[in-house]
């Protein structure tokens, strides 16, 4: 997957897990299953999640409740 152009709009697995209220392992599993799209840091290869996308997910979940 291509590297994101603006890394400031992305957060790490740990930060994303905290935002969504799940374990970081869950995010890695969702990525492997294709449920949640992760980008890769261009140097380290670590997973990064777009902050805006996570907020959209939370909004959608709150609307369902």
């Amino acid at each position: 997957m291509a590297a994101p152009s603006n890394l400031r709009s992305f957060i790490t697995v740990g930060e994303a897990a905290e935002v969504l209220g799940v374990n970081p392992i869950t995010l890695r599993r969702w990525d492997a299953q294709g449920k949640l799209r992760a980008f890769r840091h261009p140097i380290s290869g670590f997973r990064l999640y777009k902050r805006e996308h996570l907020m959209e997910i939370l909004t959608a979940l709150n609307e369902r409740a």
Side-chain angles (χ1 to χ4, degrees):
M1 188 168 302
S5 59
N6 182 359
L7 291 176
R8 285 183 273 222
S9 64
F10 290 81
I11 58 177
T12 65
V13 171
E15 293 167 329
E18 189 172 322
V19 166
L20 295 176
V22 298
N23 191 294
I25 294 170
T26 301
L27 288 182
R28 291 182 183 98
R29 187 178 316 121
W30 289 349
D31 182 31
Q33 295 171 346
K35 293 181 178 181
L36 184 61
R37 182 177 174 196
F39 294 89
R40 294 292 182 155
H41 189 279
I43 296 172
S44 67
F46 291 162
R47 287 178 177 89
L48 297 173
Y49 295 91
K50 191 162 184 150
R51 185 183 315 269
E52 184 178 307
H53 185 231
L54 296 177
M55 292 304 130
E56 290 171 3
I57 291 170
L58 286 176
T59 301
L61 289 173
N62 285 332
E63 289 175 355
R64 286 184 181 178

